[in-house]
């Protein structure tokens, strides 16, 4: 498919939205959302190659970086920030970098995405090396911030990948592993925080979850290295121990609080 047709900018199938009822609008959005999971499923072969590359590098001490602007950048920061509490990994193992810096997480800094040199400058603070991986997130696939960052990272020997929703987009030409989820036009034309954003969120979840499982951060289907940061998680961890060992709840809870992690209790039981 020629890139001359940017799918994410094409008009959606529903017109005169301002004249529609709330129920109609919600139905339209839901009808389109149903297309996301199958489109992401088509990406699994390409995702498999990317994940295997990330795992190999992380086993050597490498890190995973995300870069993006706007919604794409926020999704990368979100995914990265959830890895330490969920899997007990250091905060510097998965890092999300957004165009415009942390202020852009809450406020629009849209012009920040127009520099093709800024992403690599932002990453320089982390001293990226050839054991690291950089994944650029750009629904349109044309964001200069992402394209420039990936190009420089590839030149520096990092493993590179991208997540986009436009086949043949420029971002796919500057990375080793392009992930392209073709979800089609949005209900509100060009509003890629919708289906495109949902697809990106699913893909990032898939990447880090699979990487962490392959790195041994999950036992059975349990996040045994999660941080015990609140009462809910202490209760969850206690129940994991009870289910795995048959230990009484109060004893399991006490051992968990003493050991500090579900894994430690299970390894000693």
């Amino acid at each position: 498919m020629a890139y001359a047709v940017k799918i994410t900018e094409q008009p959606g199938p529903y017109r005169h939205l301002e004249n529609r009822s709330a129920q109609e609008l919600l139905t339209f959005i839901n009808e389109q959302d149903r297309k996301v999971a199958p489109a992401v499923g088509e990406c699994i072969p390409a995702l498999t190659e990317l994940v295997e590359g990330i795992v190999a590098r992380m086993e050597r001490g490498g890190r995973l970086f995300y870069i993006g602007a706007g919604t794409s950048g926020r999704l990368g920061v979100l995914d990265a920030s959830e890895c330490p509490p969920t899997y007990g990994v250091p905060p510097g193992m998965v890092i999300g970098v957004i165009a415009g810096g942390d202020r852009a997480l809450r406020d629009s800094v849209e012009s920040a995405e127009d520099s093709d040199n800024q992403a690599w400058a932002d990453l320089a603070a982390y001293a990226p090396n050839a054991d690291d991986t950089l994944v650029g997130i750009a629904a349109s696939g044309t964001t200069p911030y992402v394209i420039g960052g990936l190009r420089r990272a590839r030149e520096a020997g990092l493993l590179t990948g991208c997540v986009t929703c436009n086949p043949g987009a420029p971002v796919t030409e500057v990375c080793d592993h392009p992930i392209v989820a073709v979800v089609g036009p949005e209900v509100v034309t060009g509003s890629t925080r919708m289906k495109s954003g949902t697809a990106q969120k699913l893909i990032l979840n898939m990447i880090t979850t699979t990487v962490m499982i392959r790195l041994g951060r999950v036992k059975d289907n349990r996040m045994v290295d999660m941080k015990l940061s609140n009462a809910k998680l202490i209760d969850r961890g206690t129940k994991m121990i009870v289910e795995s060992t048959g230990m009484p709840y109060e004893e399991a809870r006490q051992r968990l609080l003493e050991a500090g992690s579900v894994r430690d209790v299970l390894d000693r039981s």
Side-chain angles (χ1 to χ4, degrees), residues 4-44:
V5 178
K6 190 187 288 188
I7 295 173
T8 57
E9 296 295 328
Q10 295 302 300
Y14 314 106
R15 306 303 298 271
H16 307 297
L17 298 179
E18 70 277 14
N19 297 325
R20 304 290 191 168
S21 69
Q23 182 170 336
E24 285 179 302
L25 294 171
L26 293 168
T27 300
F28 294 162
I29 294 168
N30 180 250
E31 286 174 351
Q32 291 301 304
D33 285 345
R34 292 169 187 266
K35 299 181 179 182
V36 175
V40 171
E42 295 293 323
C43 299
I44 288 177

Side-chain angles (χ1 to χ4, degrees), residues 58-72:
M58 281 193 160
E59 287 176 337
R60 302 196 297 263
R63 300 161 293 177
L64 169 60
F65 292 94
Y66 292 130
I67 55 171
T71 297
S72 296

Side-chain angles (χ1 to χ4, degrees), residues 9-184:
E9 296 295 328
Q10 295 302 300
Y14 314 106
R15 306 303 298 271
H16 307 297
L17 298 179
E18 70 277 14
N19 297 325
R20 304 290 191 168
S21 69
Q23 182 170 336
E24 285 179 302
L25 294 171
L26 293 168
T27 300
F28 294 162
I29 294 168
N30 180 250
E31 286 174 351
Q32 291 301 304
D33 285 345
R34 292 169 187 266
K35 299 181 179 182
V36 175
V40 171
E42 295 293 323
C43 299
I44 288 177
L47 276 166
T48 299
E49 294 183 3
L50 174 59
V51 165
E52 289 176 344
I54 295 171
V55 170
R57 283 160 177 77
M58 281 193 160
E59 287 176 337
R60 302 196 297 263
R63 300 161 293 177
L64 169 60
F65 292 94
Y66 292 130
I67 55 171
T71 297
S72 296
R74 294 181 191 106
L75 290 170
V77 172
L78 172 64
D79 193 68
S81 69
E82 290 175 341
C83 288
T86 304
Y87 299 109
V89 298
M93 191 171 180
V94 184
I95 299 168
V97 178
I98 183 172
D102 286 352
R103 182 168 72 88
L105 293 172
R106 293 183 179 273
D107 301 317
S108 175
V109 190
E110 300 301 342
S111 61
E113 70 179 59
D114 293 334
S115 169
D116 59 4
N117 296 315
Q118 190 58 49
W120 191 245
D122 292 343
L123 289 167
Y126 301 97
N129 63 76
D131 283 335
D132 295 329
T133 302
L134 178 64
V135 174
I137 313 166
S140 69
T142 60
T143 309
Y145 183 86
V146 174
I147 292 171
L150 285 170
R151 184 180 290 115
R152 292 291 300 276
R154 203 176 191 184
E155 291 170 354
L158 279 72
L159 181 71
T160 55
C162 74
V163 181
T164 186
C165 296
N166 279 323
V171 73
T172 66
E173 303 298 323
V174 294
C175 69
D176 304 309
H177 297 282
I179 310 300
V180 185
V182 186
V183 296

Side-chain angles (χ1 to χ4, degrees), residues 219 224-225 241 255-256 258-269:
K219 187 177 179 64
V224 293
D225 293 319
I241 295 167
R255 290 198 186 187
L256 177 61
E258 291 172 356
S261 84
V262 174
R263 182 185 295 277
D264 285 348
V265 175
L266 295 180
D267 286 349
R268 297 172 188 174
S269 300

Side-chain angles (χ1 to χ4, degrees), residues 187-204:
V187 171
V188 176
T189 303
S191 182
T192 53
R193 75 184 188 91
M194 299 181 74
K195 280 192 300 183
S196 296
T198 300
Q200 291 173 327
K201 173 69 167 122
L202 291 176
I203 288 168
L204 299 186

